[in-house]
Amino acid sequence: MANANLLVPFIKEHEGGFCIVKGDRGGATNIGVTIDTYRHYYGASKTANDLKNMSSGEWFHIFKAGFWDRWKADNIRNQSVASILVDWLWASGKWGIIIPQRILKVKPDGIVGDKTIFAVNAYNQRDLFDYIKTERIAFVHNIVENNPSQKKFLQGWVNRINSLKFYES
């Protein structure tokens, strides 16, 4: 079964530290956690400075509770599949569940239940990983097509997706 701790270094490597990037719809962000997400977990009064000083425990709590557990990834049998699915949710919110559910031909409701997990584990894991990767790349290209101001992020998004590799587990 997949392990959340194995995905943490990948996400931290690709997210970097605290930043406010012009044109980034997430606003103030630290290690991939946006100010809105931080406030959701730790209170509406939290400031960008609080986010900047977020502890590793706070970061891991957000990652695990809000993303890993939302995908019920402890129940996914292949680490690579769990990683690409959770990373998509991390990067793109609900679409990181809804689009994979469409691929799996289960109800695309954004809620991972037993049917979704069964479908993930029943699919050929290599084929599913490759399919998800292809759909993620198409997804980010679609973002730019619909909002050209996001083009400056496209190559970084594609590089991140392409850096995810499949391993049997």
Side-chain angles (χ1 to χ4, degrees):
M1 293 306 193
N3 180 333
N5 292 309
L6 297 177
L7 178 57
V8 168
F10 175 87
I11 289 183
K12 287 187 172 184
E13 173 188 339
H14 286 86
E15 292 296 351
F18 180 80
C19 62
I20 301 174
V21 176
K22 184 177 179 177
D24 184 343
R25 296 177 286 179
T29 305
N30 191 8
I31 319 170
V33 175
T34 66
I35 186 67
D36 286 344
T37 299
Y38 189 68
R39 287 175 177 153
H40 172 78
Y41 284 90
Y42 294 105
S45 65
K46 292 295 183 179
T47 66
N49 195 51
D50 294 324
L51 175 65
K52 184 177 184 177
N53 294 304
M54 170 179 57
S55 72
S56 9
E58 289 173 321
W59 183 90
F60 186 78
H61 171 72
I62 291 168
F63 163 74
K64 181 83 166 59
F67 300 87
W68 186 267
D69 291 348
R70 188 167 165 200
W71 242 111
K72 295 186 176 22
D74 286 333
N75 299 312
I76 297 174
R77 67 180 170 124
N78 180 277
Q79 181 68 43
S80 300
V81 170
S83 293
I84 199 167
L85 288 169
V86 173
D87 188 60
W88 195 353
L89 176 62
W90 179 269
S92 304
K94 68 181 180 180
W95 299 109
I97 296 175
I98 291 172
I99 297 170
Q101 286 176 320
R102 289 178 187 156
I103 292 167
L104 296 164
K105 299 189 181 346
V106 297
K107 183 178 179 183
D109 59 6
I111 300 166
V112 177
D114 292 341
K115 289 179 182 176
T116 299
I117 291 298
F118 179 83
V120 166
N121 288 328
Y123 214 104
N124 174 289
Q125 298 296 277
R126 177 60 194 235
D127 291 346
L128 180 58
F129 180 88
D130 291 343
Y131 197 170
I132 291 165
K133 193 176 207 179
T134 299
E135 289 299 312
R136 274 191 76 178
I137 291 170
F139 178 81
V140 297
H141 279 279
N142 192 51
I143 289 172
V144 172
E145 185 177 309
N146 290 321
N147 186 349
S149 73
Q150 300 300 294
K151 185 175 182 175
K152 66 183 173 182
F153 302 114
L154 180 61
Q155 193 58 55
W157 293 338
V158 171
N159 290 345
R160 177 186 184 130
I161 296 163
N162 280 328
S163 69
L164 288 157
K165 304 296 181 205
F166 180 81
Y167 302 97
E168 292 290 341
S169 59

Coordinates of all heavy atoms in Angstrom, one line a residue, residues 44-92:
A44 N -9.3 31.9 10.3 CA -9.5 33.0 9.3 C -8.6 34.2 9.6 O -8.3 35.0 8.7 CB -10.9 33.4 9.3
S45 N -8.1 34.3 10.8 CA -7.3 35.5 11.2 C -5.8 35.3 10.9 O -5.0 36.2 11.1 CB -7.4 35.7 12.7 OG -6.9 34.7 13.5
K46 N -5.4 34.1 10.4 CA -4.0 33.9 10.1 C -3.6 34.8 8.9 O -4.3 35.1 8.0 CB -3.8 32.4 9.7 CG -4.0 31.5 10.8 CD -3.0 31.7 11.9 CE -3.1 30.7 13.1 NZ -2.1 30.9 14.1
T47 N -2.3 35.3 9.1 CA -1.8 36.2 8.1 C -0.7 35.5 7.2 O -0.3 34.4 7.5 CB -1.1 37.4 8.9 OG1 0.1 36.8 9.6 CG2 -2.0 38.0 9.8
A48 N -0.3 36.3 6.2 CA 0.7 35.8 5.3 C 2.0 35.5 6.1 O 2.7 34.5 5.9 CB 1.0 36.7 4.2
N49 N 2.3 36.3 7.2 CA 3.4 36.1 8.0 C 3.3 34.8 8.8 O 4.3 34.0 9.0 CB 3.6 37.3 9.0 CG 5.0 37.2 9.6 OD1 6.0 37.1 8.9 ND2 5.1 37.3 10.9
D50 N 2.1 34.5 9.3 CA 1.8 33.2 9.9 C 2.1 32.0 9.0 O 2.8 31.0 9.3 CB 0.4 33.1 10.4 CG 0.1 34.0 11.5 OD1 1.0 34.3 12.4 OD2 -1.1 34.5 11.6
L51 N 1.7 32.2 7.7 CA 1.9 31.2 6.7 C 3.4 31.0 6.5 O 3.9 29.9 6.4 CB 1.2 31.5 5.4 CG 1.4 30.6 4.2 CD1 0.9 29.2 4.4 CD2 0.8 31.2 3.0
K52 N 4.1 32.1 6.4 CA 5.5 32.1 6.2 C 6.2 31.3 7.3 O 7.2 30.7 7.0 CB 6.1 33.5 6.1 CG 7.5 33.7 5.8 CD 8.0 35.1 5.6 CE 9.4 35.2 5.2 NZ 9.8 36.6 5.0
N53 N 5.7 31.4 8.5 CA 6.3 30.7 9.6 C 5.6 29.4 10.0 O 5.8 28.9 11.1 CB 6.3 31.7 10.8 CG 7.2 32.9 10.6 OD1 8.4 32.7 10.3 ND2 6.6 34.1 10.7
M54 N 4.9 28.9 9.0 CA 4.2 27.6 9.2 C 5.2 26.5 9.7 O 6.3 26.4 9.1 CB 3.5 27.2 7.9 CG 2.9 25.8 7.9 SD 2.1 25.5 6.3 CE 3.4 25.7 5.1
S55 N 4.8 25.7 10.6 CA 5.7 24.6 11.1 C 5.6 23.4 10.2 O 4.7 23.3 9.4 CB 5.3 24.2 12.5 OG 4.1 23.5 12.5
S56 N 6.6 22.6 10.2 CA 6.5 21.3 9.4 C 5.4 20.5 9.8 O 4.8 19.8 9.0 CB 7.8 20.5 9.4 OG 8.8 20.9 10.3
G57 N 5.1 20.5 11.1 CA 3.9 19.7 11.6 C 2.6 20.2 11.0 O 1.7 19.5 10.6
E58 N 2.5 21.6 11.0 CA 1.3 22.2 10.3 C 1.2 21.8 8.9 O 0.1 21.4 8.3 CB 1.3 23.7 10.5 CG 1.0 24.2 11.9 CD 1.2 25.7 12.0 OE1 2.1 26.2 11.4 OE2 0.4 26.3 12.8
W59 N 2.4 21.9 8.2 CA 2.4 21.6 6.8 C 2.0 20.1 6.5 O 1.1 19.8 5.7 CB 3.8 21.8 6.2 CG 3.8 21.5 4.7 CD1 3.6 22.4 3.7 CD2 4.0 20.3 4.0 NE1 3.6 21.8 2.5 CE2 3.9 20.5 2.6 CE3 4.2 19.0 4.5 CZ2 4.0 19.4 1.7 CZ3 4.4 17.9 3.6 CH2 4.3 18.2 2.2
F60 N 2.5 19.2 7.3 CA 2.2 17.8 7.1 C 0.7 17.5 7.4 O 0.1 16.7 6.7 CB 3.1 16.9 8.0 CG 2.9 15.4 7.7 CD1 3.4 14.9 6.5 CD2 2.1 14.6 8.5 CE1 3.2 13.5 6.2 CE2 1.9 13.3 8.2 CZ 2.4 12.7 7.1
H61 N 0.2 18.2 8.5 CA -1.2 18.0 8.8 C -2.1 18.4 7.6 O -3.0 17.7 7.3 CB -1.6 18.8 10.0 CG -3.0 18.9 10.3 ND1 -3.7 17.8 10.8 CD2 -3.9 19.8 10.1 CE1 -5.0 18.1 10.9 NE2 -5.2 19.3 10.5
I62 N -1.8 19.5 7.0 CA -2.6 20.0 5.8 C -2.4 19.0 4.7 O -3.4 18.6 4.1 CB -2.1 21.4 5.4 CG1 -2.6 22.4 6.5 CG2 -2.7 21.8 4.0 CD1 -1.9 23.8 6.3
F63 N -1.2 18.6 4.4 CA -1.0 17.6 3.3 C -1.7 16.3 3.6 O -2.4 15.8 2.7 CB 0.5 17.4 3.2 CG 0.9 16.1 2.4 CD1 0.7 16.1 1.0 CD2 1.3 15.0 3.0 CE1 1.0 15.0 0.3 CE2 1.6 13.8 2.3 CZ 1.5 13.8 1.0
K64 N -1.6 15.8 4.7 CA -2.2 14.5 5.0 C -3.7 14.5 5.1 O -4.4 13.8 4.4 CB -1.6 13.9 6.4 CG -2.1 12.6 6.8 CD -1.3 11.5 6.1 CE -1.5 10.1 6.7 NZ -2.9 9.6 6.8
A65 N -4.2 15.5 5.9 CA -5.7 15.5 6.1 C -6.4 16.0 4.9 O -7.4 15.5 4.5 CB -6.0 16.4 7.3
G66 N -5.8 17.0 4.2 CA -6.5 17.7 3.1 C -6.3 17.1 1.7 O -7.1 17.3 0.8
F67 N -5.3 16.3 1.6 CA -4.9 15.8 0.3 C -4.7 14.3 0.2 O -5.5 13.6 -0.4 CB -3.7 16.5 -0.3 CG -4.0 18.0 -0.4 CD1 -3.8 18.9 0.7 CD2 -4.6 18.5 -1.5 CE1 -4.1 20.2 0.6 CE2 -4.9 19.9 -1.6 CZ -4.7 20.7 -0.5
W68 N -3.8 13.8 1.0 CA -3.6 12.3 1.0 C -4.8 11.6 1.5 O -5.3 10.6 0.9 CB -2.4 12.0 1.9 CG -2.0 10.6 1.9 CD1 -2.4 9.6 2.8 CD2 -1.1 9.9 0.9 NE1 -1.8 8.4 2.4 CE2 -1.0 8.6 1.3 CE3 -0.4 10.4 -0.2 CZ2 -0.3 7.7 0.6 CZ3 0.3 9.5 -0.9 CH2 0.4 8.1 -0.5
D69 N -5.3 12.0 2.6 CA -6.5 11.3 3.2 C -7.8 11.5 2.4 O -8.6 10.7 2.3 CB -6.8 11.7 4.6 CG -5.7 11.2 5.6 OD1 -4.9 10.3 5.2 OD2 -5.7 11.7 6.7
R70 N -7.8 12.7 1.7 CA -9.0 12.9 0.9 C -9.0 12.0 -0.3 O -10.1 11.6 -0.8 CB -9.0 14.4 0.3 CG -10.2 14.8 -0.4 CD -10.2 16.3 -0.6 NE -11.2 16.6 -1.6 CZ -11.3 17.8 -2.3 NH1 -10.4 18.7 -2.0 NH2 -12.2 18.0 -3.1
W71 N -7.8 11.5 -0.8 CA -7.8 10.5 -1.8 C -7.8 9.1 -1.2 O -7.7 8.1 -2.0 CB -6.5 10.7 -2.7 CG -6.8 11.0 -4.1 CD1 -6.6 12.1 -4.8 CD2 -7.5 10.1 -5.0 NE1 -7.1 12.1 -6.0 CE2 -7.7 10.8 -6.2 CE3 -8.0 8.8 -5.0 CZ2 -8.3 10.3 -7.4 CZ3 -8.6 8.3 -6.1 CH2 -8.7 9.0 -7.3
K72 N -7.9 9.0 0.1 CA -7.8 7.7 0.8 C -6.6 6.9 0.2 O -6.7 5.7 0.0 CB -9.1 6.9 0.6 CG -10.3 7.5 1.3 CD -11.5 6.7 1.2 CE -12.8 7.1 1.9 NZ -13.0 8.4 2.2
A73 N -5.5 7.6 0.1 CA -4.4 7.0 -0.6 C -3.7 5.9 0.1 O -3.0 5.1 -0.5 CB -3.4 8.1 -1.0
D74 N -3.9 5.8 1.4 CA -3.4 4.6 2.2 C -3.9 3.3 1.6 O -3.3 2.3 1.8 CB -3.7 4.7 3.7 CG -2.9 5.8 4.4 OD1 -1.8 6.1 4.0 OD2 -3.4 6.3 5.4
N75 N -5.0 3.4 0.9 CA -5.7 2.2 0.4 C -5.3 1.9 -1.1 O -5.9 1.0 -1.7 CB -7.2 2.3 0.5 CG -7.6 2.4 2.0 OD1 -7.2 1.6 2.8 ND2 -8.4 3.4 2.3
I76 N -4.5 2.8 -1.7 CA -4.1 2.6 -3.1 C -2.9 1.7 -3.0 O -1.9 1.9 -2.3 CB -3.8 3.9 -3.7 CG1 -5.1 4.8 -3.8 CG2 -3.2 3.7 -5.1 CD1 -4.9 6.2 -4.3
R77 N -2.9 0.6 -3.9 CA -1.9 -0.4 -3.8 C -0.5 0.0 -4.4 O 0.5 -0.5 -4.1 CB -2.3 -1.7 -4.4 CG -2.6 -1.7 -5.8 CD -3.1 -3.1 -6.3 NE -3.5 -3.1 -7.7 CZ -3.1 -3.8 -8.6 NH1 -2.1 -4.7 -8.4 NH2 -3.5 -3.7 -9.9
N78 N -0.5 0.9 -5.3 CA 0.7 1.3 -6.0 C 1.1 2.7 -5.6 O 0.3 3.7 -5.7 CB 0.6 1.2 -7.5 CG 1.8 1.6 -8.2 OD1 2.1 2.8 -8.5 ND2 2.6 0.6 -8.6
Q79 N 2.3 2.9 -5.1 CA 2.8 4.2 -4.6 C 2.8 5.2 -5.8 O 2.4 6.4 -5.6 CB 4.2 4.1 -4.1 CG 4.8 5.4 -3.5 CD 4.1 5.9 -2.3 OE1 3.8 5.1 -1.4 NE2 3.8 7.2 -2.3
S80 N 3.2 4.9 -7.0 CA 3.3 5.8 -8.1 C 1.9 6.3 -8.4 O 1.8 7.5 -8.7 CB 4.0 5.1 -9.3 OG 5.3 4.7 -9.0
V81 N 1.0 5.4 -8.5 CA -0.4 5.9 -8.8 C -0.9 6.8 -7.6 O -1.5 7.8 -7.9 CB -1.3 4.6 -9.0 CG1 -2.8 5.0 -9.0 CG2 -0.9 3.9 -10.2
A82 N -0.7 6.4 -6.4 CA -1.1 7.3 -5.3 C -0.5 8.6 -5.4 O -1.1 9.7 -5.2 CB -0.8 6.6 -3.9
S83 N 0.8 8.6 -5.7 CA 1.5 9.9 -5.8 C 1.0 10.8 -6.9 O 0.8 12.0 -6.6 CB 3.0 9.6 -6.0 OG 3.6 9.0 -4.8
I84 N 0.8 10.3 -8.1 CA 0.3 11.1 -9.2 C -1.1 11.6 -8.9 O -1.4 12.8 -9.2 CB 0.5 10.5 -10.5 CG1 0.4 11.5 -11.6 CG2 -0.6 9.4 -10.7 CD1 0.9 11.0 -13.0
L85 N -1.9 10.8 -8.3 CA -3.3 11.2 -7.9 C -3.3 12.3 -6.9 O -4.0 13.4 -7.0 CB -4.1 10.0 -7.5 CG -4.5 9.0 -8.6 CD1 -5.1 7.8 -8.0 CD2 -5.5 9.7 -9.6
V86 N -2.6 12.1 -5.8 CA -2.6 13.1 -4.7 C -1.9 14.4 -5.1 O -2.3 15.5 -4.8 CB -1.9 12.5 -3.4 CG1 -1.7 13.6 -2.3 CG2 -2.7 11.3 -2.9
D87 N -0.8 14.3 -5.9 CA -0.2 15.5 -6.4 C -1.1 16.3 -7.3 O -1.1 17.5 -7.3 CB 1.1 15.1 -7.2 CG 1.9 16.3 -7.5 OD1 2.3 17.1 -6.6 OD2 2.1 16.6 -8.7
W88 N -2.0 15.6 -8.1 CA -2.9 16.3 -8.9 C -3.9 17.1 -8.1 O -4.2 18.2 -8.3 CB -3.6 15.4 -9.9 CG -4.3 16.0 -11.0 CD1 -4.5 17.4 -11.2 CD2 -5.0 15.4 -12.1 NE1 -5.3 17.6 -12.4 CE2 -5.5 16.4 -12.9 CE3 -5.1 14.1 -12.5 CZ2 -6.2 16.1 -14.1 CZ3 -5.8 13.8 -13.7 CH2 -6.3 14.8 -14.5
L89 N -4.4 16.4 -7.0 CA -5.3 17.1 -6.1 C -4.6 18.3 -5.4 O -5.2 19.3 -5.3 CB -5.8 16.1 -5.0 CG -6.7 16.6 -3.9 CD1 -8.0 17.2 -4.5 CD2 -7.0 15.5 -2.9
W90 N -3.4 18.1 -5.0 CA -2.6 19.1 -4.4 C -2.5 20.3 -5.3 O -2.7 21.5 -4.9 CB -1.2 18.6 -4.0 CG -0.3 19.6 -3.4 CD1 0.6 20.4 -4.1 CD2 -0.1 19.9 -2.0 NE1 1.3 21.1 -3.2 CE2 0.9 20.8 -1.9 CE3 -0.7 19.4 -0.9 CZ2 1.3 21.3 -0.7 CZ3 -0.3 19.9 0.3 CH2 0.7 20.9 0.4
A91 N -2.2 20.1 -6.6 CA -1.9 21.1 -7.6 C -3.2 21.8 -8.1 O -3.2 22.9 -8.5 CB -1.1 20.6 -8.7
S92 N -4.3 21.0 -8.2 CA -5.5 21.5 -8.9 C -6.8 21.3 -8.2 O -7.9 21.5 -8.9 CB -5.6 20.7 -10.3 OG -4.4 20.8 -11.0

